Amino acid sequence: MSKDKAFVTEITPQGEDFSRWYIDVIKKADLMDYSPVRGCIVFKPDGYELWENIQGALDKRFKDTGHRNAYFPLFIPESFFQKEKEHVEGFNPELPWVTEAGGEKLEERLAIRPTSETMIGHMYSKWINSYRDLPLLINQWANVVRWEKRTLPFLRTSEFLWQEGHTAHETEEDARQETMKMLDVYTDVVENVLAIPVIKGQKTPSEKFAGAVDTYSIEAMMKDGRAVQAGTSHYLGTNFAVAFDIKYLSRENTQEYCHTTSWGVSTRLIGALIMVHGDDRGLVMPPKVAPTQVIMIPIGPPKMREQVIAKTDELYAQLKAAGVRVRVDDRADVSPGWKFNEYEMRGIPVRLELGPRDLENGVCVLVSRVTGEKKQVPLDNLVAEVQTMLDEVHQQMFERASQFRGEHFFSVETLDELKASLEEKRGFALAGWCGSEACEKQVKEETGATSRNIPFEPGETKAKCLVCGDESKHTVVFARAY
Amino acid sequence: MSKDKAFVTEITPQGEDFSRWYIDVIKKADLMDYSPVRGCIVFKPDGYELWENIQGALDKRFKDTGHRNAYFPLFIPESFFQKEKEHVEGFNPELPWVTEAGGEKLEERLAIRPTSETMIGHMYSKWINSYRDLPLLINQWANVVRWEKRTLPFLRTSEFLWQEGHTAHETEEDARQETMKMLDVYTDVVENVLAIPVIKGQKTPSEKFAGAVDTYSIEAMMKDGRAVQAGTSHYLGTNFAVAFDIKYLSRENTQEYCHTTSWGVSTRLIGALIMVHGDDRGLVMPPKVAPTQVIMIPIGPPKMREQVIAKTDELYAQLKAAGVRVRVDDRADVSPGWKFNEYEMRGIPVRLELGPRDLENGVCVLVSRVTGEKKQVPLDNLVAEVQTMLDEVHQQMFERASQFRGEHFFSVETLDELKASLEEKRGFALAGWCGSEACEKQVKEETGATSRNIPFEPGETKAKCLVCGDESKHTVVFARAY
């Protein structure tokens, strides 16, 4: 494939500086812009549409599993945070406070929600009276704010967009089932829609959500070997029920506390999919969420231009009618080579080239963004061919990411081995852990890696703690994380 | 139709106290709840789903007219508001301020956005360089906050959900065309989706958006004769372009200011559709946005129950597969009469009754929520019959609302006539106006009515100002408003 050298070098190669590559590519592909407010970004149309498509995939699954959407206030009274001790300790340092409104000083400060367990807990205590009101299965799509010291577009911003599910149940068993069900929904979307393989597991106590009994996560490996927590699901026990008095009349006619859950994913998924799939040529968009799935580029000499464009328009209409997100670039003053580079950089999964000779032969060429493979296909079966190739690109992306993760997933016995592995080849490490916070802390201090989770399927079981050498209680995935 | 008297009387009749009727019905139908934050409500699932369905109808039309969604920060630096003089004067009294975040006092206060012209103006000045970047057509779905003194669920809340379109154009003509196009989109959705007839027109200078050159609105009449501004579209001229330096290189190679527009509708549409369509039995939901369009109620003696329910489930699956939003209430411990009342109160557009004799005859009964009309229809054509009835209900609702508006739309020559009309039969009044702010103010002070808009199609043209008797400049609709 011919390359415009000057064009390509505007993106820092991943191997040279992965962080710069990331910023280069999201800016150049027009996904976001910095805003004048510290740590807050603007989601430009292509960035926002990625989120809309992720939302669509999640929302359908939430509704299919019996959840309904609702909306709760942005503001949370200060007193609400005081009700759950761990929760306030976890979130207090990150809260922005509204202290004045409508020209007056407020009697009680209002926090901008960092998450809504407290507000929703308060409302649930009003709404739930009897076991007949349970389970209560609600999700909210919202903006939340956490005043972050170090920010990175999409992955860690002060304001971000997310969904937060909040459910209440009669029993621990029901609530734990819900917690796992939603972790499975997240896994389904991240793997089968975003083409990102994840490791499912349980967070260690020091890494769990402030106020949860147990937190579960899915962890994804970026191309620099770092981890991104792609989604979390929490079993909250009766912690918030006790704090907010969420009680119900049981089938046995007694007053019981509800068992509650919460679970969320956010716009950081956009950052994750870029860092998992992108390469030195730019973005690679997962076909199922790509704002544009197919870019059509008519090519050939000026005298044939009219015919080629007429056919392009006809095929465009066919693809569009079939629900394919397709665009045409028929600009005459820009070379096909420039366009090829441009749309590769933007990560459009499939490029469709149509020239005069193709027209004669009743074919066109489809090119995969992932492998560069070119495939000549008959025009009279175009819709099916395009859909097949989009599926193939998804599959190729998932396989490529899985292979990368396999090559950067190592197994260590000691802290020194972990250090060496993290230096030599960045990635995830499986290690034994005695269960003490001290050992976990030492790993973090000496390597910068944190326990990502205790995987449900670790592959192997470690006998000894990597730090103290005592008997291992859990086999844990450690990694440096975003 | 038999009625459970005790049940029905829980809703205050509209004629007795319209405001209490409104609160009764939205609480009882589970659309919202009050929150512990002043002026902020919780959108419960049925209330929120109304909004989701309204969003769907709007979003499709925005995209069909070439707009894309984006997302801008919640926070707006104080200095931004100072840049457009009218804008800051208009919004300053209503702003909540974040003064502390992350444990520190902020150097510059951050407002919670009441609308985003300033932030978006700032970003557009970075994004727009040449006429090739124009028109820039962006919409945002977001929460906004205006610290209101007097609030009313859905119609006026401190935090509300809305969309705000922001576009930039080369010429005044282009921008004015866009302003009108979006007013037409709003009219289409409010009339053809929400079944609410509206009056399109231009706001008088004193009622226009803070910072706009011209504001256009659609105005709807509630069942108590008051007006709700259901949507606005603003031609902003170069006001924000000058304030935020949004310039472009023209086709003639000169630097020019853009002409910009903004337009928005909000969750107050939920309040409007309730107040336009509801009656003493409760809500009446427009079929195109109703969370549940059809409620199926199997009836008959216990011994036939199994057969009837089996058939109900089969029909339910047919309707659902056809995209009808349908629910079944087959509870055995609740009487059909109670259910009829309950779903009438909740405003479900169509009730489907199926009993043993119907089963034998291969029919069922459909009942319109608006007219109470019962229609026996063959089961083998059920999907089409249901869709026809949903269309009829929409049509009936639009006609009923139009008729009501016709009966409460009067024409006056003087301020005394306006006063008398507002007392006798509440509604809208068409009157002449000289164009002076003083006369407009006097109308407001003496009658509580404000100028709603200068209708594009007033029906008749008034010769004299209703206050001073001077020559009329505009024929204006006056009304008390929410």
Side-chain angles (χ1 to χ4, degrees):
Chain A
M1 215 170 311
S2 77
K3 287 269 171 44
D4 179 340
K5 185 75 181 162
F7 180 98
V8 171
T9 48
E10 288 178 35
I11 297 175
T12 307
Q14 291 187 330
E16 192 182 308
D17 185 337
F18 191 78
S19 303
R20 269 187 54 203
W21 168 85
Y22 178 70
I23 299 297
D24 284 353
V25 80
I26 58 178
K27 288 278 291 176
K28 201 164 160 50
D30 245 1
L31 298 187
M32 56 72 66
D33 199 356
Y34 293 103
S35 90
V37 181
R38 198 178 67 89
C40 293
I41 63 168
V42 174
F43 291 74
K44 295 185 82 172
D46 273 338
Y48 192 78
E49 195 171 333
L50 277 171
W51 181 237
E52 287 182 295
N53 293 337
I54 294 170
Q55 279 190 299
L58 287 164
D59 200 67
K60 185 190 177 313
R61 286 162 178 82
F62 295 160
K63 286 175 177 162
D64 286 348
T65 47
H67 303 82
R68 298 191 71 193
N69 292 326
Y71 188 77
F72 297 83
L74 172 70
F75 301 115
I76 300 183
E78 182 164 18
S79 55
F80 278 41
F81 279 98
Q82 311 301 336
K83 295 195 182 183
E84 216 292 333
K85 192 173 159 291
E86 283 187 19
H87 195 67
V88 66
E89 283 170 9
F91 284 104
N92 224 7
E94 297 179 350
L95 299 177
W97 293 102
V98 174
T99 58
E100 302 160 27
E104 290 173 12
K105 203 166 171 346
L106 297 179
E107 285 181 25
E108 179 179 14
R109 297 196 299 175
L110 298 173
I112 309 293
R113 65 180 160 220
T115 180
S116 302
E117 277 76 8
T118 56
M119 175 61 73
I120 292 179
H122 174 87
M123 298 311 299
Y124 278 14
S125 75
K126 294 173 65 181
W127 297 348
I128 296 169
N129 293 302
S130 136
Y131 69 89
R132 287 190 197 83
D133 301 321
L134 300 174
L136 184 54
L137 308 174
I138 284 182
N139 175 61
Q140 169 170 266
W141 292 99
N143 55 343
V144 287
V145 179
R146 299 175 187 178
W147 211 252
E148 299 282 357
K149 293 242 184 297
R150 287 175 52 218
T151 60
L152 188 62
F154 298 123
L155 281 171
R156 189 174 298 277
T157 50
S158 291
E159 181 188 8
F160 56 95
L161 305 178
W162 81 340
Q163 61 69 218
E164 46 181 322
H166 295 269
T167 69
H169 307 263
E170 288 182 69
T171 63
E172 171 166 355
E173 194 191 338
D174 289 355
R176 285 194 176 274
Q177 228 164 49
E178 167 81 8
T179 309
M180 288 304 151
K181 186 195 283 176
M182 300 325 286
L183 194 69
D184 287 343
V185 164
Y186 289 158
T187 304
D188 176 26
V189 169
V190 176
E191 296 202 327
N192 301 323
V193 177
L194 304 185
I196 300 174
V198 294
I199 295 169
K200 271 203 275 194
Q202 181 170 359
K203 287 283 185 187
T204 62
S206 69
E207 295 284 333
K208 70 183 170 62
F209 176 76
V213 171
D214 290 314
T215 288
Y216 302 88
S217 75
I218 50 175
E219 303 283 335
M221 188 189 291
M222 306 298 104
K223 273 218 178 137
D224 62 351
R226 284 179 183 257
V228 163
Q229 178 179 293
T232 49
S233 187
H234 317 290
Y235 168 61
L236 304 173
T238 57
N239 291 351
F240 285 88
V242 169
F244 289 92
D245 202 33
I246 315 174
K247 277 192 213 155
Y248 71 97
L249 185 72
S250 76
R251 291 165 203 267
E252 289 74 38
N253 227 25
T254 55
Q255 286 289 327
E256 305 291 340
Y257 284 113
C258 288
H259 291 256
T260 68
T261 83
S262 68
W263 28 276
V265 301
S266 75
T267 37
R268 75 185 333 221
L269 285 176
I270 299 172
L273 73 87
I274 294 165
M275 285 195 176
V276 167
H277 297 304
D279 59 28
D280 283 346
R281 299 208 305 281
L283 292 178
V284 182
M285 296 276 196
K288 293 182 192 175
V289 295
T292 303
Q293 298 174 305
V294 178
I295 180 72
M296 301 177 75
I297 302 178
I299 47 182
K303 60 176 180 172
M304 296 298 293
R305 197 171 150 75
E306 218 164 286
Q307 283 175 33
V308 174
I309 287 183
K311 188 68 185 178
T312 303
D313 289 346
E314 185 193 317
L315 297 171
Y316 168 85
Q318 278 179 26
L319 288 168
K320 202 165 168 68
V324 178
R325 295 190 291 274
V326 56
R327 272 177 58 202
V328 174
D329 187 345
D330 59 6
R331 287 176 294 173
D333 56 346
V334 178
S335 77
W338 191 95
K339 291 179 188 174
F340 293 175
N341 286 332
E342 172 73 10
Y343 297 108
E344 282 189 350
M345 185 274 293
R346 289 179 181 265
I348 315 292
V350 171
R351 179 171 81 231
L352 187 156
E353 303 171 12
L354 182 72
R357 199 174 307 162
D358 298 322
L359 208 56
E360 270 172 38
N361 299 330
V363 297
C364 69
V365 173
L366 301 182
V367 187
S368 157
R369 170 61 179 86
V370 182
T371 60
E373 178 207 357
K374 291 190 171 205
K375 196 169 162 189
Q376 201 180 59
V377 302
L379 294 182
D380 56 15
N381 194 30
L382 186 63
V383 168
E385 292 284 358
V386 162
Q387 279 160 344
T388 300
M389 192 167 224
L390 288 170
D391 287 344
E392 283 169 7
V393 169
H394 171 88
Q395 205 49 44
Q396 289 159 358
M397 290 174 74
F398 187 78
E399 279 161 19
R400 199 167 72 161
S402 301
Q403 195 188 336
F404 180 89
R405 193 181 69 179
E407 290 162 4
H408 294 78
F409 200 103
F410 37 93
S411 173
V412 300
E413 305 300 327
T414 65
L415 194 50
D416 282 340
E417 275 183 44
L418 177 61
K419 274 186 226 174
S421 297
L422 285 172
E423 293 311 311
E424 273 164 39
K425 51 168 195 170
R426 298 183 290 186
F428 289 9
L430 197 69
W433 174 54
C434 65
S436 87
E437 215 172 299
C439 288
E440 208 181 351
K441 206 172 159 193
Q442 200 175 330
V443 171
K444 191 172 178 180
E445 281 170 3
E446 296 195 21
T447 69
T450 50
S451 69
R452 301 317 307 154
N453 66 23
I454 301 162
F456 295 153
E457 293 170 14
E460 60 170 320
T461 307
K462 295 289 186 180
K464 295 189 169 173
C465 176
L466 83 164
V467 181
C468 65
D470 285 357
E471 196 187 337
S472 164
K473 209 161 158 186
H474 299 292
T475 301
V476 174
V477 171
F478 288 95
R480 289 170 183 156
Y482 280 101
Chain B
M1 213 171 313
S2 77
K3 287 269 171 46
D4 177 341
K5 186 76 180 160
F7 180 98
V8 170
T9 48
E10 288 178 35
I11 297 174
T12 308
Q14 292 187 330
E16 191 181 308
D17 185 338
F18 191 77
S19 303
R20 268 187 55 203
W21 168 85
Y22 178 70
I23 298 296
D24 285 352
V25 81
I26 58 177
K27 289 277 293 177
K28 202 166 158 53
D30 245 1
L31 298 187
M32 58 69 69
D33 199 356
Y34 293 103
S35 90
V37 181
R38 198 178 67 90
C40 294
I41 63 167
V42 174
F43 291 75
K44 295 185 82 172
D46 273 338
Y48 192 78
E49 196 171 334
L50 278 170
W51 181 237
E52 286 182 296
N53 293 337
I54 294 169
Q55 278 189 299
L58 288 164
D59 200 66
K60 185 189 178 313
R61 285 162 177 82
F62 295 161
K63 286 175 177 161
D64 287 349
T65 46
H67 303 83
R68 298 191 70 192
N69 292 326
Y71 188 77
F72 298 83
L74 171 71
F75 301 115
I76 299 183
E78 183 164 18
S79 55
F80 278 42
F81 280 96
Q82 310 301 337
K83 296 194 180 183
E84 216 292 331
K85 192 173 160 292
E86 283 187 21
H87 195 66
V88 66
E89 282 169 10
F91 284 104
N92 225 6
E94 297 180 350
L95 299 177
W97 293 101
V98 174
T99 57
E100 302 160 29
E104 290 172 12
K105 201 164 171 349
L106 298 179
E107 284 181 25
E108 179 178 15
R109 297 196 300 175
L110 298 172
I112 309 292
R113 66 180 159 219
T115 179
S116 301
E117 277 76 9
T118 57
M119 175 61 73
I120 293 178
H122 174 87
M123 299 311 299
Y124 279 14
S125 74
K126 293 173 67 180
W127 298 347
I128 296 169
N129 293 303
S130 135
Y131 69 89
R132 287 189 197 84
D133 302 321
L134 299 174
L136 184 56
L137 308 174
I138 284 182
N139 175 61
Q140 169 171 266
W141 292 99
N143 54 343
V144 288
V145 178
R146 299 175 186 178
W147 212 252
E148 299 282 356
K149 293 243 184 295
R150 286 176 50 220
T151 61
L152 188 61
F154 298 122
L155 281 170
R156 190 174 297 277
T157 51
S158 291
E159 181 188 8
F160 56 96
L161 304 178
W162 81 341
Q163 62 68 218
E164 46 181 323
H166 295 271
T167 69
H169 306 262
E170 288 181 70
T171 63
E172 170 166 356
E173 192 190 340
D174 289 354
R176 285 194 177 275
Q177 227 164 49
E178 166 81 8
T179 309
M180 287 305 151
K181 185 194 283 176
M182 300 324 287
L183 194 70
D184 286 344
V185 164
Y186 289 158
T187 305
D188 176 27
V189 168
V190 176
E191 296 202 326
N192 300 323
V193 177
L194 305 185
I196 300 174
V198 295
I199 295 168
K200 271 202 275 194
Q202 181 170 359
K203 287 284 184 187
T204 62
S206 69
E207 295 283 332
K208 71 181 168 62
F209 175 76
V213 171
D214 290 315
T215 288
Y216 302 87
S217 74
I218 50 175
E219 303 282 336
M221 187 190 291
M222 306 298 104
K223 274 220 176 135
D224 63 350
R226 285 180 183 257
V228 164
Q229 178 179 292
T232 48
S233 188
H234 317 291
Y235 168 61
L236 304 173
T238 57
N239 291 351
F240 285 88
V242 169
F244 289 91
D245 202 34
I246 315 175
K247 276 192 215 154
Y248 71 96
L249 185 72
S250 76
R251 291 165 203 267
E252 290 74 37
N253 226 24
T254 55
Q255 286 288 328
E256 304 291 341
Y257 284 113
C258 289
H259 292 255
T260 68
T261 82
S262 68
W263 28 276
V265 302
S266 75
T267 37
R268 74 183 336 219
L269 284 177
I270 299 172
L273 73 87
I274 294 164
M275 285 194 176
V276 168
H277 297 303
D279 59 28
D280 283 346
R281 300 209 304 281
L283 293 178
V284 181
M285 295 277 196
K288 292 182 192 175
V289 295
T292 303
Q293 296 174 307
V294 177
I295 181 72
M296 301 179 74
I297 301 179
I299 46 181
K303 61 174 180 171
M304 296 297 295
R305 196 170 151 73
E306 217 164 287
Q307 282 175 30
V308 174
I309 288 184
K311 189 67 183 176
T312 303
D313 290 346
E314 186 192 318
L315 298 171
Y316 168 83
Q318 277 179 26
L319 289 168
K320 201 165 168 69
V324 177
R325 295 189 292 274
V326 57
R327 272 178 58 202
V328 175
D329 187 346
D330 58 8
R331 286 176 294 173
D333 57 344
V334 178
S335 76
W338 190 94
K339 292 179 188 174
F340 294 175
N341 285 333
E342 171 73 10
Y343 297 108
E344 282 189 351
M345 185 275 292
R346 288 179 181 266
I348 315 292
V350 171
R351 180 170 81 232
L352 186 157
E353 302 171 10
L354 182 72
R357 199 175 307 162
D358 298 322
L359 208 56
E360 268 171 38
N361 298 332
V363 297
C364 69
V365 173
L366 301 182
V367 186
S368 158
R369 170 61 180 87
V370 182
T371 59
E373 177 208 358
K374 292 189 170 206
K375 194 169 162 190
Q376 202 179 60
V377 303
L379 295 182
D380 56 15
N381 194 30
L382 186 63
V383 168
E385 292 284 0
V386 162
Q387 279 159 345
T388 301
M389 192 166 224
L390 288 170
D391 287 344
E392 283 169 8
V393 168
H394 171 89
Q395 207 47 45
Q396 288 159 359
M397 289 174 74
F398 187 79
E399 279 161 18
R400 199 166 74 161
S402 300
Q403 194 187 335
F404 180 89
R405 192 181 70 180
E407 289 163 5
H408 294 79
F409 200 105
F410 36 94
S411 174
V412 301
E413 306 300 328
T414 65
L415 194 50
D416 282 339
E417 274 184 47
L418 176 62
K419 275 187 225 171
S421 296
L422 284 172
E423 293 311 311
E424 273 164 41
K425 52 168 195 170
R426 299 183 289 184
F428 289 9
L430 198 70
W433 174 55
C434 65
S436 86
E437 215 172 300
C439 288
E440 209 180 350
K441 207 172 157 192
Q442 198 175 332
V443 171
K444 192 173 176 179
E445 281 169 2
E446 295 195 21
T447 69
T450 50
S451 70
R452 302 316 308 155
N453 65 25
I454 301 162
F456 295 153
E457 294 170 14
E460 60 169 321
T461 307
K462 295 289 187 181
K464 294 189 171 175
C465 176
L466 83 165
V467 181
C468 66
D470 282 359
E471 195 186 336
S472 164
K473 209 161 157 187
H474 299 292
T475 301
V476 174
V477 172
F478 287 95
R480 291 171 182 154
Y482 281 100

